[in-house]
mmCIF file of all heavy atoms in Angstrom:
data_model
loop_
_atom_site.group_PDB
_atom_site.id
_atom_site.type_symbol
_atom_site.label_atom_id
_atom_site.label_comp_id
_atom_site.label_asym_id
_atom_site.label_seq_id
_atom_site.Cartn_x
_atom_site.Cartn_y
_atom_site.Cartn_z
ATOM 1 N N GLU A 2 87.755 79.174 106.652
ATOM 2 C CA GLU A 2 89.197 79.208 106.404
ATOM 3 C C GLU A 2 89.454 79.787 105.031
ATOM 4 O O GLU A 2 88.685 79.599 104.096
ATOM 5 C CB GLU A 2 89.750 77.783 106.392
ATOM 6 C CG GLU A 2 89.888 77.184 107.779
ATOM 7 C CD GLU A 2 90.630 75.855 107.739
ATOM 8 O OE1 GLU A 2 90.870 75.332 106.647
ATOM 9 O OE2 GLU A 2 90.955 75.357 108.832
ATOM 10 N N ILE A 3 90.558 80.524 104.937
ATOM 11 C CA ILE A 3 90.981 81.047 103.655
ATOM 12 C C ILE A 3 92.338 80.439 103.361
ATOM 13 O O ILE A 3 93.279 80.597 104.146
ATOM 14 C CB ILE A 3 91.039 82.604 103.691
ATOM 15 C CG1 ILE A 3 89.602 83.120 103.852
ATOM 16 C CG2 ILE A 3 91.705 83.163 102.457
ATOM 17 C CD1 ILE A 3 89.519 84.463 104.527
ATOM 18 N N LEU A 5 95.621 80.072 101.107
ATOM 19 C CA LEU A 5 96.425 80.808 100.129
ATOM 20 C C LEU A 5 97.575 79.918 99.669
ATOM 21 O O LEU A 5 98.061 79.056 100.421
ATOM 22 C CB LEU A 5 96.975 82.073 100.768
ATOM 23 C CG LEU A 5 95.967 83.021 101.399
ATOM 24 C CD1 LEU A 5 96.670 84.236 102.008
ATOM 25 C CD2 LEU A 5 94.913 83.468 100.406
ATOM 26 N N ARG A 6 97.977 80.159 98.431
ATOM 27 C CA ARG A 6 99.183 79.485 97.917
ATOM 28 C C ARG A 6 100.133 80.567 97.431
ATOM 29 O O ARG A 6 99.734 81.462 96.704
ATOM 30 C CB ARG A 6 98.825 78.538 96.786
ATOM 31 C CG ARG A 6 98.161 77.280 97.271
ATOM 32 C CD ARG A 6 97.890 76.271 96.182
ATOM 33 N NE ARG A 6 97.084 75.190 96.721
ATOM 34 C CZ ARG A 6 95.783 75.236 96.953
ATOM 35 N NH1 ARG A 6 95.091 76.304 96.589
ATOM 36 N NH2 ARG A 6 95.156 74.214 97.510
ATOM 37 N N ASP A 42 102.624 86.477 83.301
ATOM 38 C CA ASP A 42 101.825 87.326 82.428
ATOM 39 C C ASP A 42 101.103 88.420 83.221
ATOM 40 O O ASP A 42 100.768 89.475 82.674
ATOM 41 C CB ASP A 42 100.792 86.442 81.686
ATOM 42 C CG ASP A 42 100.399 87.047 80.369
ATOM 43 O OD1 ASP A 42 101.254 87.659 79.692
ATOM 44 O OD2 ASP A 42 99.203 86.918 80.006
ATOM 45 N N GLY A 43 100.848 88.184 84.470
ATOM 46 C CA GLY A 43 100.187 89.182 85.323
ATOM 47 C C GLY A 43 101.086 90.360 85.685
ATOM 48 O O GLY A 43 100.601 91.327 86.257
ATOM 49 N N ASP A 46 103.113 95.527 82.361
ATOM 50 C CA ASP A 46 102.965 96.961 82.698
ATOM 51 C C ASP A 46 103.444 97.311 84.096
ATOM 52 O O ASP A 46 103.372 98.496 84.486
ATOM 53 C CB ASP A 46 101.509 97.446 82.556
ATOM 54 C CG ASP A 46 100.968 97.229 81.143
ATOM 55 O OD1 ASP A 46 101.800 97.263 80.215
ATOM 56 O OD2 ASP A 46 99.757 97.060 80.997
ATOM 57 N N SER A 51 106.995 102.893 89.973
ATOM 58 C CA SER A 51 108.267 103.005 90.682
ATOM 59 C C SER A 51 108.243 102.231 92.022
ATOM 60 O O SER A 51 109.272 101.832 92.511
ATOM 61 C CB SER A 51 108.617 104.476 90.952
ATOM 62 O OG SER A 51 107.641 105.073 91.777
ATOM 63 N N ARG A 68 99.381 91.224 123.376
ATOM 64 C CA ARG A 68 100.131 92.392 123.871
ATOM 65 C C ARG A 68 101.602 92.139 123.565
ATOM 66 O O ARG A 68 102.115 91.044 123.864
ATOM 67 C CB ARG A 68 99.957 92.535 125.379
ATOM 68 C CG ARG A 68 98.537 92.771 125.846
ATOM 69 C CD ARG A 68 98.169 94.247 125.709
ATOM 70 N NE ARG A 68 96.795 94.430 126.175
ATOM 71 C CZ ARG A 68 96.501 94.980 127.361
ATOM 72 N NH1 ARG A 68 97.473 95.352 128.192
ATOM 73 N NH2 ARG A 68 95.246 95.158 127.720
ATOM 74 N N HIS A 78 102.127 97.209 123.877
ATOM 75 C CA HIS A 78 100.998 97.742 123.134
ATOM 76 C C HIS A 78 100.140 96.591 122.623
ATOM 77 O O HIS A 78 100.610 95.447 122.543
ATOM 78 C CB HIS A 78 101.482 98.585 121.950
ATOM 79 C CG HIS A 78 102.331 99.728 122.354
ATOM 80 N ND1 HIS A 78 101.824 100.879 122.930
ATOM 81 C CD2 HIS A 78 103.691 99.915 122.301
ATOM 82 C CE1 HIS A 78 102.804 101.691 123.217
ATOM 83 N NE2 HIS A 78 103.931 101.156 122.841
ATOM 84 N N PHE A 81 97.610 94.850 117.373
ATOM 85 C CA PHE A 81 97.089 95.489 116.140
ATOM 86 C C PHE A 81 97.443 96.967 116.081
ATOM 87 O O PHE A 81 97.178 97.628 115.086
ATOM 88 C CB PHE A 81 95.588 95.278 116.015
ATOM 89 C CG PHE A 81 95.209 93.821 115.958
ATOM 90 C CD1 PHE A 81 94.379 93.251 116.925
ATOM 91 C CD2 PHE A 81 95.672 93.016 114.931
ATOM 92 C CE1 PHE A 81 94.054 91.902 116.886
ATOM 93 C CE2 PHE A 81 95.353 91.669 114.896
ATOM 94 C CZ PHE A 81 94.533 91.112 115.864
ATOM 95 N N ARG A 88 101.470 87.427 114.368
ATOM 96 C CA ARG A 88 100.067 87.903 114.313
ATOM 97 C C ARG A 88 99.153 86.690 114.099
ATOM 98 O O ARG A 88 99.600 85.683 113.573
ATOM 99 C CB ARG A 88 99.883 88.875 113.147
ATOM 100 C CG ARG A 88 101.009 89.914 113.056
ATOM 101 C CD ARG A 88 100.823 90.904 111.908
ATOM 102 N NE ARG A 88 99.808 91.875 112.204
ATOM 103 C CZ ARG A 88 99.993 92.992 112.927
ATOM 104 N NH1 ARG A 88 101.197 93.264 113.421
ATOM 105 N NH2 ARG A 88 99.021 93.805 113.146
ATOM 106 N N ASN A 90 96.947 86.151 111.839
ATOM 107 C CA ASN A 90 97.206 85.828 110.434
ATOM 108 C C ASN A 90 98.555 86.451 110.073
ATOM 109 O O ASN A 90 98.653 87.694 110.020
ATOM 110 C CB ASN A 90 96.073 86.338 109.544
ATOM 111 C CG ASN A 90 94.793 85.576 109.760
ATOM 112 O OD1 ASN A 90 94.790 84.338 109.761
ATOM 113 N ND2 ASN A 90 93.705 86.278 109.975
ATOM 114 N N LEU A 92 100.424 87.928 108.091
ATOM 115 C CA LEU A 92 100.523 88.629 106.799
ATOM 116 C C LEU A 92 101.370 89.871 106.955
ATOM 117 O O LEU A 92 101.171 90.654 107.916
ATOM 118 C CB LEU A 92 99.128 89.031 106.326
ATOM 119 C CG LEU A 92 98.167 87.901 106.026
ATOM 120 C CD1 LEU A 92 96.772 88.472 105.701
ATOM 121 C CD2 LEU A 92 98.654 87.058 104.835
ATOM 122 N N ASP A 122 101.072 88.287 97.043
ATOM 123 C CA ASP A 122 100.450 89.206 96.075
ATOM 124 C C ASP A 122 101.398 90.373 95.843
ATOM 125 O O ASP A 122 102.275 90.676 96.646
ATOM 126 C CB ASP A 122 99.124 89.718 96.632
ATOM 127 C CG ASP A 122 98.176 90.300 95.560
ATOM 128 O OD1 ASP A 122 98.484 90.177 94.360
ATOM 129 O OD2 ASP A 122 97.135 90.857 95.959
ATOM 130 N N ILE A 123 101.177 91.016 94.692
ATOM 131 C CA ILE A 123 101.854 92.256 94.332
ATOM 132 C C ILE A 123 100.768 93.227 93.906
ATOM 133 O O ILE A 123 99.887 92.869 93.136
ATOM 134 C CB ILE A 123 102.851 92.054 93.160
ATOM 135 C CG1 ILE A 123 103.962 91.097 93.538
ATOM 136 C CG2 ILE A 123 103.419 93.382 92.670
ATOM 137 C CD1 ILE A 123 104.850 90.678 92.361
ATOM 138 N N LYS A 124 100.858 94.469 94.428
ATOM 139 C CA LYS A 124 99.906 95.506 94.013
ATOM 140 C C LYS A 124 100.707 96.770 93.733
ATOM 141 O O LYS A 124 101.719 97.047 94.392
ATOM 142 C CB LYS A 124 98.914 95.831 95.127
ATOM 143 C CG LYS A 124 98.017 94.674 95.570
ATOM 144 C CD LYS A 124 97.056 95.138 96.647
ATOM 145 C CE LYS A 124 96.400 93.954 97.386
ATOM 146 N NZ LYS A 124 95.391 93.253 96.615
ATOM 147 N N PRO A 125 100.300 97.565 92.746
ATOM 148 C CA PRO A 125 100.994 98.828 92.498
ATOM 149 C C PRO A 125 100.721 99.826 93.626
ATOM 150 O O PRO A 125 99.606 99.845 94.194
ATOM 151 C CB PRO A 125 100.362 99.337 91.184
ATOM 152 C CG PRO A 125 99.004 98.719 91.155
ATOM 153 C CD PRO A 125 99.129 97.373 91.844
ATOM 154 N N ASP A 129 97.622 108.333 95.108
ATOM 155 C CA ASP A 129 96.242 108.802 95.098
ATOM 156 C C ASP A 129 95.333 107.890 95.931
ATOM 157 O O ASP A 129 94.325 108.319 96.482
ATOM 158 C CB ASP A 129 95.760 108.892 93.652
ATOM 159 C CG ASP A 129 94.443 109.658 93.528
ATOM 160 O OD1 ASP A 129 94.243 110.630 94.274
ATOM 161 O OD2 ASP A 129 93.605 109.260 92.677
ATOM 162 N N ARG A 137 97.734 110.927 112.653
ATOM 163 C CA ARG A 137 98.224 110.739 114.016
ATOM 164 C C ARG A 137 98.742 109.320 114.149
ATOM 165 O O ARG A 137 98.114 108.377 113.679
ATOM 166 C CB ARG A 137 97.133 110.928 115.043
ATOM 167 C CG ARG A 137 96.855 112.382 115.466
ATOM 168 C CD ARG A 137 95.773 112.432 116.546
ATOM 169 N NE ARG A 137 94.519 111.823 116.126
ATOM 170 C CZ ARG A 137 94.022 110.700 116.617
ATOM 171 N NH1 ARG A 137 94.663 110.048 117.581
ATOM 172 N NH2 ARG A 137 92.862 110.235 116.163
ATOM 173 N N SER A 145 109.076 106.576 116.010
ATOM 174 C CA SER A 145 109.318 106.119 114.636
ATOM 175 C C SER A 145 110.507 106.807 113.996
ATOM 176 O O SER A 145 111.016 106.338 113.010
ATOM 177 C CB SER A 145 108.069 106.303 113.777
ATOM 178 O OG SER A 145 107.732 107.658 113.666
ATOM 179 N N GLU B 2 100.800 75.587 101.613
ATOM 180 C CA GLU B 2 99.525 76.288 101.806
ATOM 181 C C GLU B 2 99.624 77.141 103.047
ATOM 182 O O GLU B 2 100.249 76.765 104.027
ATOM 183 C CB GLU B 2 98.398 75.293 102.011
ATOM 184 C CG GLU B 2 97.929 74.646 100.738
ATOM 185 C CD GLU B 2 96.664 73.824 100.960
ATOM 186 O OE1 GLU B 2 96.260 73.645 102.115
ATOM 187 O OE2 GLU B 2 96.087 73.369 99.955
ATOM 188 N N ILE B 3 98.993 78.284 103.024
ATOM 189 C CA ILE B 3 98.905 79.155 104.182
ATOM 190 C C ILE B 3 97.423 79.272 104.507
ATOM 191 O O ILE B 3 96.623 79.729 103.682
ATOM 192 C CB ILE B 3 99.549 80.519 103.892
ATOM 193 C CG1 ILE B 3 101.060 80.300 103.708
ATOM 194 C CG2 ILE B 3 99.272 81.487 105.005
ATOM 195 C CD1 ILE B 3 101.715 81.326 102.866
ATOM 196 N N LEU B 5 94.446 80.816 106.666
ATOM 197 C CA LEU B 5 94.092 81.964 107.478
ATOM 198 C C LEU B 5 92.682 81.790 108.028
ATOM 199 O O LEU B 5 91.833 81.144 107.409
ATOM 200 C CB LEU B 5 94.170 83.243 106.641
ATOM 201 C CG LEU B 5 95.464 83.500 105.900
ATOM 202 C CD1 LEU B 5 95.377 84.811 105.124
ATOM 203 C CD2 LEU B 5 96.637 83.557 106.853
ATOM 204 N N ARG B 6 92.464 82.376 109.194
ATOM 205 C CA ARG B 6 91.113 82.426 109.764
ATOM 206 C C ARG B 6 90.787 83.869 110.054
ATOM 207 O O ARG B 6 91.600 84.577 110.672
ATOM 208 C CB ARG B 6 91.065 81.608 111.050
ATOM 209 C CG ARG B 6 91.052 80.115 110.790
ATOM 210 C CD ARG B 6 90.887 79.283 112.032
ATOM 211 N NE ARG B 6 91.064 77.883 111.654
ATOM 212 C CZ ARG B 6 92.213 77.283 111.487
ATOM 213 N NH1 ARG B 6 93.341 77.957 111.673
ATOM 214 N NH2 ARG B 6 92.283 76.028 111.129
ATOM 215 N N ASP B 42 91.798 92.391 122.998
ATOM 216 C CA ASP B 42 92.954 92.871 123.769
ATOM 217 C C ASP B 42 94.082 93.385 122.835
ATOM 218 O O ASP B 42 94.881 94.234 123.242
ATOM 219 C CB ASP B 42 93.464 91.746 124.654
ATOM 220 C CG ASP B 42 94.170 92.273 125.909
ATOM 221 O OD1 ASP B 42 93.709 93.304 126.451
ATOM 222 O OD2 ASP B 42 95.173 91.680 126.301
ATOM 223 N N GLY B 43 94.122 92.861 121.642
ATOM 224 C CA GLY B 43 95.124 93.301 120.675
ATOM 225 C C GLY B 43 94.877 94.691 120.120
ATOM 226 O O GLY B 43 95.715 95.218 119.394
ATOM 227 N N ASP B 46 95.563 100.649 122.525
ATOM 228 C CA ASP B 46 96.352 101.774 121.991
ATOM 229 C C ASP B 46 96.044 102.090 120.530
ATOM 230 O O ASP B 46 96.620 103.027 119.959
ATOM 231 C CB ASP B 46 97.882 101.544 122.102
ATOM 232 C CG ASP B 46 98.295 101.346 123.553
ATOM 233 O OD1 ASP B 46 97.608 101.880 124.447
ATOM 234 O OD2 ASP B 46 99.294 100.639 123.786
ATOM 235 N N SER B 51 95.238 107.698 113.735
ATOM 236 C CA SER B 51 94.117 108.270 112.971
ATOM 237 C C SER B 51 93.743 107.395 111.795
ATOM 238 O O SER B 51 92.610 107.444 111.316
ATOM 239 C CB SER B 51 94.471 109.690 112.473
ATOM 240 O OG SER B 51 95.581 109.628 111.615
ATOM 241 N N ARG B 68 95.373 88.891 82.812
ATOM 242 C CA ARG B 68 95.225 90.181 82.149
ATOM 243 C C ARG B 68 93.830 90.697 82.422
ATOM 244 O O ARG B 68 92.856 89.934 82.261
ATOM 245 C CB ARG B 68 95.384 89.997 80.620
ATOM 246 C CG ARG B 68 96.740 89.484 80.180
ATOM 247 C CD ARG B 68 97.758 90.609 80.113
ATOM 248 N NE ARG B 68 99.039 90.088 79.657
ATOM 249 C CZ ARG B 68 99.512 90.268 78.414
ATOM 250 N NH1 ARG B 68 98.793 90.919 77.512
ATOM 251 N NH2 ARG B 68 100.684 89.767 78.083
ATOM 252 N N HIS B 78 95.653 95.334 81.314
ATOM 253 C CA HIS B 78 96.940 95.381 82.012
ATOM 254 C C HIS B 78 97.184 94.054 82.736
ATOM 255 O O HIS B 78 96.251 93.265 82.949
ATOM 256 C CB HIS B 78 96.922 96.525 83.043
ATOM 257 C CG HIS B 78 96.671 97.864 82.448
ATOM 258 N ND1 HIS B 78 97.638 98.532 81.711
ATOM 259 C CD2 HIS B 78 95.583 98.649 82.415
ATOM 260 C CE1 HIS B 78 97.122 99.684 81.272
ATOM 261 N NE2 HIS B 78 95.875 99.773 81.686
ATOM 262 N N PHE B 81 98.837 92.164 88.259
ATOM 263 C CA PHE B 81 99.630 92.671 89.390
ATOM 264 C C PHE B 81 99.999 94.145 89.216
ATOM 265 O O PHE B 81 100.578 94.761 90.116
ATOM 266 C CB PHE B 81 100.881 91.825 89.617
ATOM 267 C CG PHE B 81 100.558 90.394 89.903
ATOM 268 C CD1 PHE B 81 100.983 89.367 89.069
ATOM 269 C CD2 PHE B 81 99.786 90.040 91.031
ATOM 270 C CE1 PHE B 81 100.671 88.030 89.328
ATOM 271 C CE2 PHE B 81 99.468 88.726 91.292
ATOM 272 C CZ PHE B 81 99.908 87.711 90.439
ATOM 273 N N ARG B 84 94.785 96.981 90.935
ATOM 274 C CA ARG B 84 94.255 96.637 92.267
ATOM 275 C C ARG B 84 92.969 95.805 92.146
ATOM 276 O O ARG B 84 92.191 95.709 93.078
ATOM 277 C CB ARG B 84 93.968 97.940 93.025
ATOM 278 C CG ARG B 84 95.196 98.854 93.127
ATOM 279 C CD ARG B 84 96.189 98.354 94.165
ATOM 280 N NE ARG B 84 95.761 98.750 95.461
ATOM 281 C CZ ARG B 84 96.288 99.735 96.184
ATOM 282 N NH1 ARG B 84 97.369 100.379 95.770
ATOM 283 N NH2 ARG B 84 95.804 100.024 97.367
ATOM 284 N N ARG B 88 92.117 87.898 92.216
ATOM 285 C CA ARG B 88 93.553 87.677 92.231
ATOM 286 C C ARG B 88 93.840 86.245 92.660
ATOM 287 O O ARG B 88 93.001 85.617 93.330
ATOM 288 C CB ARG B 88 94.214 88.644 93.250
ATOM 289 C CG ARG B 88 93.702 90.069 93.151
ATOM 290 C CD ARG B 88 94.373 91.011 94.124
ATOM 291 N NE ARG B 88 95.716 91.368 93.739
ATOM 292 C CZ ARG B 88 96.029 92.306 92.858
ATOM 293 N NH1 ARG B 88 95.068 93.047 92.287
ATOM 294 N NH2 ARG B 88 97.272 92.552 92.534
ATOM 295 N N ASN B 90 95.632 85.107 95.072
ATOM 296 C CA ASN B 90 95.308 85.158 96.498
ATOM 297 C C ASN B 90 94.441 86.382 96.716
ATOM 298 O O ASN B 90 94.916 87.516 96.585
ATOM 299 C CB ASN B 90 96.578 85.222 97.354
ATOM 300 C CG ASN B 90 97.368 83.924 97.285
ATOM 301 O OD1 ASN B 90 96.812 82.846 97.433
ATOM 302 N ND2 ASN B 90 98.669 84.034 97.021
ATOM 303 N N LEU B 92 93.501 88.829 98.377
ATOM 304 C CA LEU B 92 93.796 89.698 99.536
ATOM 305 C C LEU B 92 93.609 91.163 99.160
ATOM 306 O O LEU B 92 94.095 91.579 98.126
ATOM 307 C CB LEU B 92 95.243 89.478 100.010
ATOM 308 C CG LEU B 92 95.595 88.076 100.509
ATOM 309 C CD1 LEU B 92 97.084 87.996 100.785
ATOM 310 C CD2 LEU B 92 94.804 87.762 101.788
ATOM 311 N N ASP B 122 93.507 91.134 109.206
ATOM 312 C CA ASP B 122 94.522 91.798 110.039
ATOM 313 C C ASP B 122 94.236 93.278 110.087
ATOM 314 O O ASP B 122 93.568 93.841 109.194
ATOM 315 C CB ASP B 122 95.934 91.546 109.458
ATOM 316 C CG ASP B 122 97.060 91.795 110.452
ATOM 317 O OD1 ASP B 122 96.778 92.018 111.647
ATOM 318 O OD2 ASP B 122 98.234 91.766 110.033
ATOM 319 N N ILE B 123 94.758 93.941 111.109
ATOM 320 C CA ILE B 123 94.739 95.382 111.250
ATOM 321 C C ILE B 123 96.160 95.809 111.569
ATOM 322 O O ILE B 123 96.828 95.199 112.401
ATOM 323 C CB ILE B 123 93.804 95.844 112.409
ATOM 324 C CG1 ILE B 123 92.361 95.452 112.131
ATOM 325 C CG2 ILE B 123 93.952 97.338 112.669
ATOM 326 C CD1 ILE B 123 91.416 95.681 113.321
ATOM 327 N N LYS B 124 96.650 96.854 110.873
ATOM 328 C CA LYS B 124 97.968 97.398 111.150
ATOM 329 C C LYS B 124 97.841 98.922 111.223
ATOM 330 O O LYS B 124 97.066 99.491 110.499
ATOM 331 C CB LYS B 124 98.971 97.047 110.023
ATOM 332 C CG LYS B 124 99.234 95.552 109.832
ATOM 333 C CD LYS B 124 100.233 95.332 108.706
ATOM 334 C CE LYS B 124 100.235 93.916 108.193
ATOM 335 N NZ LYS B 124 100.822 92.923 109.104
ATOM 336 N N ASP B 129 105.854 107.390 108.201
ATOM 337 C CA ASP B 129 107.296 107.193 108.182
ATOM 338 C C ASP B 129 107.651 105.839 107.537
ATOM 339 O O ASP B 129 108.727 105.663 106.971
ATOM 340 C CB ASP B 129 107.824 107.259 109.623
ATOM 341 C CG ASP B 129 109.340 107.336 109.660
ATOM 342 O OD1 ASP B 129 109.941 107.995 108.791
ATOM 343 O OD2 ASP B 129 109.924 106.735 110.575
ATOM 344 N N ARG B 137 106.281 106.998 90.442
ATOM 345 C CA ARG B 137 105.678 106.867 89.111
ATOM 346 C C ARG B 137 104.571 105.838 89.200
ATOM 347 O O ARG B 137 104.734 104.795 89.849
ATOM 348 C CB ARG B 137 106.714 106.367 88.098
ATOM 349 C CG ARG B 137 107.603 107.442 87.511
ATOM 350 C CD ARG B 137 108.551 106.861 86.469
ATOM 351 N NE ARG B 137 109.409 105.809 87.033
ATOM 352 C CZ ARG B 137 109.342 104.524 86.705
ATOM 353 N NH1 ARG B 137 108.440 104.094 85.822
ATOM 354 N NH2 ARG B 137 110.155 103.675 87.259
ATOM 355 N N SER B 145 94.072 107.925 87.402
ATOM 356 C CA SER B 145 93.720 107.842 88.805
ATOM 357 C C SER B 145 93.012 109.108 89.297
ATOM 358 O O SER B 145 92.394 109.084 90.353
ATOM 359 C CB SER B 145 94.955 107.552 89.671
ATOM 360 O OG SER B 145 95.867 108.608 89.576
#
Side-chain angles (χ1 to χ4, degrees):
Chain A
E2 284 188 350
I3 293 153
L5 306 179
R6 285 184 187 79
D42 207 36
D46 301 332
S51 61
R68 298 278 181 103
H78 301 286
F81 301 119
R88 316 180 75 83
N90 291 310
L92 297 173
D122 198 8
I123 296 171
K124 298 181 195 286
D129 192 36
R137 276 184 302 112
S145 64
Chain B
E2 283 188 352
I3 293 154
L5 306 180
R6 285 184 187 80
D42 207 38
D46 301 332
S51 62
R68 298 279 181 103
H78 301 286
F81 300 118
R84 304 284 279 254
R88 315 181 75 82
N90 290 312
L92 297 173
D122 199 8
I123 296 172
K124 297 181 197 288
D129 191 37
R137 277 182 301 112
S145 64

